[in-house]
Amino acid sequence: MVLLLEGANDLAVAFQSGENEMALPAIADGLRDMIKVAHRAGVEVFVATLTPQRRNSPKGAGADLVCSLNKSIYWSAGREGAPVVDLFQAL
């Protein structure tokens, strides 16, 4: 069993490079690829949403895009049959 928590660093890089929301499909595709690899290996996969980020913190550059990415995470996980663990709502 594995819990994938993917995208926070990618989101920060996208924000800093000016890609912003244009990077979300590529991040979601990468997540789907990871899910597929794990499933092919016979591993049960759970996918976590990103937690809230603090703006103006050292790693909070993509804070404004977290909700949009979390929607993409739900979509990607659903397409690949992986349950979602909603860390954003839990916090």
Side-chain angles (χ1 to χ4, degrees), residues 28 31-32 35 47-50 66-90:
L31 178 60
R32 285 182 62 206
I35 296 168
V47 180
T49 60
L50 297 183
V66 168
C67 288
S68 294
L69 183 55
N70 281 342
K71 288 177 187 176
S72 294
I73 288 170
Y74 265 98
W75 182 85
S76 296
R79 295 260 316 193
E80 300 305 324
V84 175
V85 178
D86 196 336
L87 298 180
F88 188 91
Q89 291 299 323

Side-chain angles (χ1 to χ4, degrees), residues 5 8 11 49-55 57 59-60 62-64 66-67 70 86-91:
L5 176 55
L11 196 60
T49 60
L50 297 183
T51 59
Q53 296 180 4
R54 285 179 281 169
R55 290 176 186 83
S57 69
K59 295 190 177 188
D64 293 335
V66 168
C67 288
N70 281 342
D86 196 336
L87 298 180
F88 188 91
Q89 291 299 323
L91 297 177

Side-chain angles (χ1 to χ4, degrees), residues 17-35:
S17 69
E19 290 182 51
N20 297 327
E21 289 190 6
M22 294 182 301
L24 296 181
I27 297 169
D29 287 346
L31 178 60
R32 285 182 62 206
D33 289 344
M34 286 184 240
I35 296 168

